Amino acid sequence: LEPAEIICITVEHAYFGCLKGTKSPRPFNLLASGLKMELSPEERMAHAKEFGEHGGVNASIECSTTFTVLDAGTLPKIFQGAVGPKNGGCYVYGRSFNPTVMALSRQLAALEGTESAYCTSSGMAAISAALMGLCNAGDHIVASHTVYGGTFALLHSFLPKKCGITVTLVDITDLAAVAAAITPATKVIYTEAVSNPTLVVADLPALAALARAAGAKLVVDNTFTPCIVTPAKWGADVVVHSLTKFVSGASDIIAGVVCGSAPFINSLMDFHTGPLMLLGPTMDPKIASELALRVPHLPLRVQEHSRRALAMAQALQAQGARVVYPGLPEHSGHALLTKLANPGYGYGGLLGVHMASRACANALMERLQNKHSFGYMAVSLGYFDSLMCAPGASTSSELDEKDKAISGITEGYVRLSVGITGSLESRVAQLSEAYAFVSKVGASAPYRATKVQRTDYGAPQLMSWPSLGSDGESLSDAECEPLLTLHNQHGSAANAAGAAGGASGIPEAVVSGDIAGVAGVPAGAASPPVATAPAPAGTSTGSGTAAGRSTGCSSEGEHEDVPMLLPCLQHSGASAHMSPFVAAQLAAAVLAESGNAAGEVGSYEATALVSNKAGAEPLVAAPESLTGPGSSLTSLTAKIKIRRLASGVQVIYERTG
């Protein structure tokens, strides 16, 4: 028969098999042809293509929770295991096998080169179902000590305490230690192909040999390296994935899969002992349909993730960073992964970088997100945009300090899941700038974000304090001093030159952390003059600094007086003091969002107003209309310069009170 005829017959009989009383032929099984490992993952998946019930180019969605039969005697046979989806075409209930989920599962079995597969509601569901399907109470597992934090908790705590399954955690690269940990009760050797988060490469052929010699099964989590590594090719018995990551590619679906032999996958749905059937973490068919449409372009996405990750790793390495990436020849697992990898897919989309401290790691991530829109500070991976996290405080927080040290997770370690958006050149430049800045300045100048929304009447309203940087607190005046000192060291000559020319020769600090000589203004460059209008008589702040002035705008050499809107932020504390560092940010938030000419480019003398009254409404108004005798508002003045950049708004200010 032609392939199209095989597909049509398969679909019809699979769907109506129980109703017609006919025996449904199994779908065309490429794996039985003996070609499964000779073909690339994308070629295997191409051969696993399935069509819809009525000839649709996509597989049909079967969303029923229960399935009917014509012969009452069929139901007992289903529950006895005599008939089922693969022998008789009979389905019974949505928590068991589902036709749409099985279609996706066949795609993923083709991806991994296994006989069968079935999808689950999460990656952890896949891992736990696989291990509980292979082990009983009293059995033993030898596992890598460098794994995802949730997996570590399952192995270290849940299985021993809740299931009576003992676990020995070892350095999976130390084959002697693995062999020494095996006991007569060992049923599983468990590892990640490339470990989360420190990218340790497992020697799958050697581990498979150890498992076979002990009568155990090798279970491999291949979440980090879909398409790149085919664990079954190297002797793995069971392969699991978190489909949430690269297979989904959009961080919008939680899902997993278990791939293995047909008897093992069927055992997971046993009505009496099957962990998928009895614990119920099976996949919704609508989710399966969505994922089935993403699997065909997974190879292309993996190739691009890998290409970009290698370029970024090389750029960081050239800057002297401690980079962790298996694609670099210096990586301890480079030669091994080169051997294991399928040609053409690269070395993966994950890289790591060791910063000097947790604070520096946070500063790097904040700068990349808030300054460059490089990516997002978030857990997970495989998203089309870059995702960054410090695993020691997030995805590996289940490990105590000793276990983190054993796993090589330092306080300053940043895991970067490299996305595929934006040009590679711009992303590499952003990463290089952020690393260079934080390496030179440290964590003392985090790049801060401000939350602003427009009110019903169109004016911008500050919704929160500026994001307060890495440590969650606003920098005090004293904490700002090191930044000012550093700036003065770079810009003292420029200040003197500016003063001699009649320009403002004041030291500046940058709210974003851009210090002269590091980024932004070049070291020694003269600062443009700050134009201001005279202060109205009779207005002053508590520090004696003039306030309430109209604002002078410097734009292409021309000056004009323009009205300026500044935020009045509710302040529930007893103190009316607010650092000019924060005041400048408040003013900048309004200027950046106001949409009038003054918000585009210019130099200003700005006054931010802070209310002492708890429950006071946030206000947006000209400062001179709100200050005066008996006012509950404290005015704080700062000279600021605003530059609109391609990536956002840069704010520079002079502390004046």
Side-chain angles (χ1 to χ4, degrees):
L1 296 178
E2 293 295 322
E5 295 177 289
I6 295 174
I7 291 167
C8 289
I9 292 174
T10 298
V11 169
E12 179 183 355
H13 282 245
Y15 192 76
F16 295 109
C18 283
L19 301 183
K20 292 184 175 181
T22 61
K23 184 174 181 180
S24 170
R26 293 180 64 182
F28 175 69
N29 190 349
L30 173 73
L31 305 181
S33 70
L35 298 175
K36 60 180 180 178
M37 294 310 174
E38 283 71 19
L39 298 176
S40 69
E42 57 191 308
E43 289 173 322
R44 290 197 298 267
M45 289 190 291
H47 283 282
K49 170 72 177 177
E50 297 186 31
F51 294 88
E53 178 188 353
H54 302 291
V57 295
N58 295 318
S60 301
I61 303 176
E62 177 51 74
C63 58
S64 300
T65 60
T66 190
F67 299 81
T68 186
V69 297
L70 290 180
D71 184 351
T74 303
L75 282 176
K77 293 180 181 179
I78 293 174
F79 281 89
Q80 292 164 7
V83 295
K86 298 181 180 180
N87 57 335
C90 298
Y91 294 87
V92 62
Y93 189 62
R95 194 177 73 244
S96 181
F97 292 114
N98 170 278
T100 305
V101 179
M102 288 192 71
L104 171 63
S105 300
R106 285 190 287 270
Q107 281 183 286
L108 297 169
L111 168 68
E112 288 300 343
T114 59
E115 182 183 14
S116 186
Y118 202 68
C119 295
T120 63
S121 58
S122 71
M124 286 305 302
I127 296 168
S128 57
L131 294 179
M132 286 191 280
L134 292 169
C135 299
N136 297 317
D139 288 340
H140 176 249
I141 297 172
V142 177
S144 171
H145 61 43
T146 306
V147 290
Y148 165 60
T151 307
F152 182 90
L154 176 72
L155 295 166
H156 181 267
S157 303
F158 185 91
L159 291 178
K161 294 179 180 178
K162 300 290 186 179
C163 304
I165 299 170
T166 58
V167 179
T168 301
L169 299 169
V170 298
D171 178 355
I172 207 68
T173 65
D174 186 344
L175 297 176
V178 175
I182 294 173
T183 73
T186 301
K187 295 296 186 288
V188 169
I189 295 177
Y190 181 90
T191 187
E192 294 170 347
V194 174
S195 74
N196 184 358
T198 51
L199 309 182
V200 173
V201 181
D203 189 340
L204 300 183
L207 293 172
L210 289 174
R212 283 194 301 272
K217 302 294 185 183
L218 176 60
V219 179
V220 178
D221 184 338
N222 201 29
T223 298
F224 273 32
T225 46
C227 297
I228 300 168
V229 177
T230 304
K233 177 180 179 180
W234 304 106
D237 298 284
V238 178
V239 181
V240 295
H241 278 267
S242 170
L243 302 179
T244 309
K245 312 305 192 296
F246 286 105
V247 174
S248 166
S251 290
D252 61 339
I253 288 174
I254 301 291
V257 68
V258 184
C259 306
S261 68
F264 175 67
I265 298 302
N266 290 339
S267 73
L268 300 179
M269 283 296 184
D270 186 277
F271 283 97
H272 303 284
T273 59
L276 286 183
M277 183 65 194
L278 298 179
L279 300 180
T282 48
M283 178 181 284
D284 184 287
K286 297 171 186 174
I287 294 297
S289 177
E290 285 193 47
L291 286 174
L293 301 181
R294 304 181 192 187
V295 172
H297 49 72
L298 173 65
L300 293 176
R301 292 187 281 114
V302 168
Q303 288 170 342
E304 184 63 8
H305 283 292
S306 293
R307 182 178 78 94
R308 288 170 173 247
L310 176 60
M312 292 182 188
Q314 290 171 335
L316 287 172
Q317 185 182 57
Q319 292 178 269
R322 287 181 58 201
V323 190
V324 180
Y325 185 65
L328 297 175
E330 295 78 10
H331 188 280
S332 60
H334 176 75
L336 177 57
L337 187 53
T338 301
K339 169 189 170 183
L340 299 178
N342 296 308
Y345 298 102
Y347 292 86
L350 277 294
L351 65 86
V353 57
H354 290 280
M355 301 301 290
S357 64
R358 172 75 57 78
C360 287
N362 291 342
L364 175 68
M365 294 187 292
E366 288 172 353
R367 190 171 186 83
L368 285 169
Q369 174 181 280
N370 298 339
K371 176 178 173 62
H372 294 299
S373 296
F374 171 89
Y376 304 105
M377 291 181 285
V379 298
S380 198
L381 54 108
Y383 185 45
F384 52 74
D385 276 323
S386 294
L387 300 178
M388 306 166 284
C389 70
S394 55
T395 56
S396 297
S397 58
E398 295 89 346
L399 285 69
D400 60 26
E401 296 307 314
K402 179 181 177 181
D403 290 322
K404 290 177 188 175
I406 292 173
S407 299
I409 304 170
T410 63
E411 285 291 296
Y413 185 72
V414 175
R415 188 190 74 184
L416 175 59
S417 172
V418 177
I420 55 178
T421 59
S423 72
L424 176 57
E425 294 74 16
S426 66
R427 294 304 193 208
V428 169
Q430 292 165 352
L431 180 60
S432 296
E433 187 281 335
Y435 177 80
F437 180 86
V438 175
S439 296
K440 186 167 185 178
V441 176
S444 58
Y447 199 99
R448 300 161 189 271
T450 305
K451 297 179 182 178
V452 179
Q453 74 173 14
R454 291 199 176 275
T455 61
D456 293 339
Y457 49 89
Q461 176 179 351
L462 193 71
M463 297 306 296
S464 73
W465 295 95
S467 80
L468 307 181
S470 304
D471 54 7
E473 296 180 359
S474 175
L475 292 182
S476 66
D477 290 351
E479 290 169 322
C480 290
E481 290 301 331
L483 302 184
L484 295 172
T485 301
L486 180 56
H487 180 90
N488 289 336
Q489 290 170 351
H490 285 290
S492 58
N495 293 331
S504 174
I506 54 177
E508 298 168 346
V510 183
V511 172
S512 67
D514 282 335
I515 298 173
V518 179
V521 183
S527 302
V530 178
T532 60
T539 58
S540 65
T541 64
S543 65
T545 304
R549 311 172 187 181
S550 59
T551 304
C553 177
S554 172
S555 177
E556 298 181 351
E558 297 182 359
H559 306 283
E560 61 178 348
D561 290 344
V562 295
M564 178 165 144
L565 302 180
L566 292 170
C568 172
L569 181 69
Q570 173 185 332
H571 182 65
S572 58
S575 171
H577 175 71
M578 178 198 244
S579 168
F581 190 90
V582 175
Q585 288 181 292
L586 302 184
V590 175
L591 290 170
E593 296 291 326
S594 62
N596 55 37
E600 294 300 320
V601 176
S603 300
Y604 310 90
E605 177 144 330
T607 301
L609 302 175
V610 185
S611 173
N612 266 333
K613 290 186 176 180
E617 290 293 325
L619 302 174
V620 178
E624 55 267 28
S625 67
L626 295 173
T627 56
S631 172
S632 63
L633 303 175
T634 299
S635 59
L636 296 164
T637 303
K639 289 183 179 178
I640 62 174
K641 289 191 296 185
I642 296 179
R643 296 171 181 160
R644 187 174 295 280
L645 308 175
S647 59
V649 176
Q650 181 188 51
V651 183
I652 305 175
Y653 80 101
E654 173 206 2
R655 291 154 28 98
T656 60

